[in-house]
Amino acid sequence: DRTLKLWDTVTGAEIKTLKGHTGGVYSVTFSPDGKTIASASSDRTIKLWDTVTGTEIKTLKGHTNLVLSVVFSPDGKTIASASHDGTIKLWN
């Protein structure tokens, strides 16, 4: 449904629904400090979200086809994304 949902793992209750992608979401990852979520979508973007407020921080554009995967580096300073366009991109 083009959303991300945050769930309480103890109670199973939904905490937040994050809306903003215009295509299906293929991958999500938490930053190492847990403050940011990155999501990859068929809308060819990566979105960064604030985990506390659920608000969109930034949209990363550059892929020419759907983004299949996204991951933070261990220090949280770089994001790597892989796309169906055959590229891997690194973002600061």
Side-chain angles (χ1 to χ4, degrees):
D1 65 1
R2 302 177 301 230
T3 67
L4 290 78
K5 295 192 183 288
L6 299 180
W7 300 89
D8 183 308
T9 58
V10 175
T11 66
E14 182 182 323
I15 299 168
K16 285 186 179 51
T17 298
L18 311 180
K19 297 179 181 179
H21 281 294
T22 59
V25 178
Y26 285 93
S27 178
V28 296
T29 185
F30 281 88
S31 62
D33 65 7
K35 294 180 180 179
T36 306
I37 295 171
S39 57
S41 173
S42 65
D43 65 11
R44 301 178 299 200
T45 68
I46 296 111
K47 291 191 180 285
L48 303 180
W49 308 87
D50 182 290
T51 57
V52 174
T53 65
T55 58
E56 183 183 324
I57 299 167
K58 182 181 275 192
T59 299
L60 305 175
K61 297 179 181 179
H63 286 292
T64 60
N65 208 320
L66 57 96
V67 186
L68 298 167
S69 183
V70 64
V71 65
F72 278 93
S73 63
D75 66 5
K77 294 181 180 180
T78 306
I79 295 171
S81 60
S83 171
H84 199 265
D85 64 16
T87 65
I88 297 170
K89 294 191 180 291
L90 299 177
W91 311 82
N92 289 325

